[in-house]
């Protein structure tokens, strides 16, 4: 069985980061090994969460993995909380990447704004960190921040998307996936670029009005699992768009508060079959 290390926080409430990555990757038949970076009572859209930073626990875990000779087929990084974590995880990638893939979701913002707690210096360092990835998966907000482009919402032409994707691979990664793109009303999906073969992919699904928190983490988890299973970039993007759209559909009418995320649990059977 393939094995992925996934490096991100545990937010106890709010269905994001490890609480979606572990079940999704496991349902896909890929072993998911968490490297938790912080423990939060809930993600940061809930005001004033209790946060236990785990930066000083990371080294002990990875030292043990090294002594035990543990290897990974892929490393998937998500929300990282600080500049020092970027440094430490950068070293972890150097140590453990081996022949596996490095998949980076530069989680730091959405809807044109940085998440609470992130400063402009983090954006510059994240852009540098993305150069360590084989595949990066920013949303439009994160792509615009890292490339210094003005954010104009989710509506772009095919040429705009190609230009952004090419510039993203210029950060040093060979493949880039841009999430949350819309080229026509009622459609939302992802665009991707493989700079090695100069190939573009576009995959759109039905757009449902409203905010669906945590869908970026769901999308990234499916992609990482699919790539570990040997799907091509285009196939992985299709799997992720289709699963994410299904999760959103299963949440319509059950949105007491969008901060609780989407009902992905009801869709996990799609990944197991
Ligand atoms: O879904 C992204 C995410 C992950 N982890 C934490 C967050 C957020 C977004 O707000 O706050 C802790």
């Amino acid at each position: 069985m393939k094995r992925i290390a996934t490096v991100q926080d545990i937010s106890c409430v709010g269905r994001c980061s490890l609480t979606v990555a572990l079940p999704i990757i496991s349902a896909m038949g890929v072993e998911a090994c968490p490297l938790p970076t912080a423990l939060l009572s809930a993600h940061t859209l809930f005001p004033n969460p209790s946060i236990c930073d785990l930066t000083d626990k990371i080294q002990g875990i990875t030292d043990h993995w090294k002594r035990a000779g543990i290897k990974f087929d892929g490393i998937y990084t998500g929300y990282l909380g600080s500049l020092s974590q970027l440094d430490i995880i950068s070293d972890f990638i150097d140590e453990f990447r081996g022949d596996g893939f490095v998949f980076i979701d530069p989680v730091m913002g959405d809807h044109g704004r940085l998440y609470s707690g992130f400063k402009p210096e983090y954006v510059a360092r994240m852009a540098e960190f993305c150069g360590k990835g084989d595949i990066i998966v920013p949303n439009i907000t994160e792509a615009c921040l890292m490339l210094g482009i003005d954010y104009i919402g989710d509506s772009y032409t095919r040429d705009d998307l190609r230009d952004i994707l090419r510039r993203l691979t210029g950060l040093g990664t060979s493949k880039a996936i841009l999430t949350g793109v819309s080229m026509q009303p009622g459609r939302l999906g992802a665009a991707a670029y493989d700079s090695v073969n100069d190939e573009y992919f576009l995959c759109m699904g039905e757009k449902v009005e409203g905010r669906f928190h945590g869908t970026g983490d769901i999308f990234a988890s499916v992609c990482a699992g699919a790539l570990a299973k040997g799907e091509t970039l285009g196939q992985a993007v299709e799997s992720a768009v289709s699963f994410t759209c299904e999760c959103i559909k299963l949440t319509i009418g059950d949105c007491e508060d969008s901060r609780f995320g989407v009902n992905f649990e009801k869709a996990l059977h799609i990944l197991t079959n």
Side-chain angles (χ1 to χ4, degrees):
M1 191 182 267
K2 299 289 184 186
R3 177 183 304 121
I4 299 183
T6 178
V7 189
Q8 42 191 328
D9 67 283
I10 306 177
S11 286
C12 302
V13 172
R15 291 191 185 108
C16 66
S17 32
L18 283 178
T19 63
V20 305
L22 297 181
I24 286 175
I25 294 167
S26 302
M28 297 177 81
V30 173
E31 182 184 347
C33 304
L35 180 50
T37 53
L39 175 62
L40 292 88
S41 52
H43 63 63
T44 59
L45 293 191
F46 290 91
N48 306 312
S50 156
I51 303 179
C52 173
D53 184 287
L54 298 174
T55 307
D56 63 355
K57 303 286 181 262
I58 293 174
Q59 193 77 46
I61 296 172
T62 59
D63 281 353
H64 177 241
W65 286 353
K66 210 156 83 187
R67 291 196 303 280
I70 290 163
K71 301 224 176 347
F72 299 103
D73 300 294
I75 296 173
Y76 155 32
T77 71
Y79 183 100
L80 303 174
S82 63
L83 294 174
S84 67
Q85 282 192 353
L86 284 176
D87 286 341
I88 292 169
I89 301 309
S90 205
D91 293 345
F92 168 71
I93 289 172
D94 291 341
E95 193 82 59
F96 281 86
R97 72 186 309 155
D99 298 326
F101 65 88
V102 176
F103 181 94
I104 296 178
D105 184 356
V107 179
M108 56 190 164
D110 205 358
H111 308 291
R113 298 182 49 194
L114 280 171
Y115 291 133
S116 127
F118 290 105
K119 304 261 169 352
E121 192 187 352
Y122 188 87
V123 175
R125 292 283 293 283
M126 180 53 94
E128 212 178 291
F129 181 73
C130 280
K132 287 214 162 287
D134 299 304
I135 309 114
I136 63 171
V137 58
N139 60 30
I140 300 243
T141 300
E142 291 152 352
C144 288
L145 284 164
M146 291 195 291
L147 298 175
I149 303 173
D150 285 339
Y151 174 80
I152 54 155
D154 59 11
S155 209
Y156 289 86
T157 65
R158 191 175 290 259
D159 285 347
D160 291 336
L161 293 175
R162 289 185 168 206
D163 179 53
I164 294 173
L165 285 165
R166 263 198 309 271
R167 290 166 69 173
L168 284 170
T169 56
L171 297 175
T173 175
S174 61
K175 303 180 180 82
I177 305 170
L178 192 55
T179 64
V181 305
S182 181
M183 287 172 53
Q184 58 190 107
R187 309 290 289 164
L188 186 68
Y193 177 53
D194 180 344
S195 67
V196 176
N197 308 318
D198 198 30
E199 275 181 324
Y200 291 92
F201 306 91
L202 188 63
C203 182
M204 306 304 278
E206 190 186 336
K207 179 176 182 175
V208 175
E209 286 311 323
R211 288 200 172 186
F212 296 95
H213 190 260
T215 46
D217 298 350
I218 288 174
F219 182 97
S221 301
V222 177
C223 265
L227 292 168
K229 288 174 72 172
E231 288 186 20
T232 63
L233 181 66
Q235 288 167 334
V237 170
E238 274 189 28
S239 302
V241 167
S242 132
F243 185 76
T244 309
C245 287
E246 191 57 30
C247 293
I248 290 173
K249 263 194 229 156
L250 290 167
T251 309
I252 298 170
D254 186 21
C255 305
E256 47 165 336
D257 178 337
S258 66
R259 294 176 302 179
F260 286 96
V262 293
N263 296 344
F264 78 94
E265 298 87 345
K266 289 188 180 169
L268 283 177
H269 68 94
I270 298 170
L271 300 176
T272 14
N273 296 331

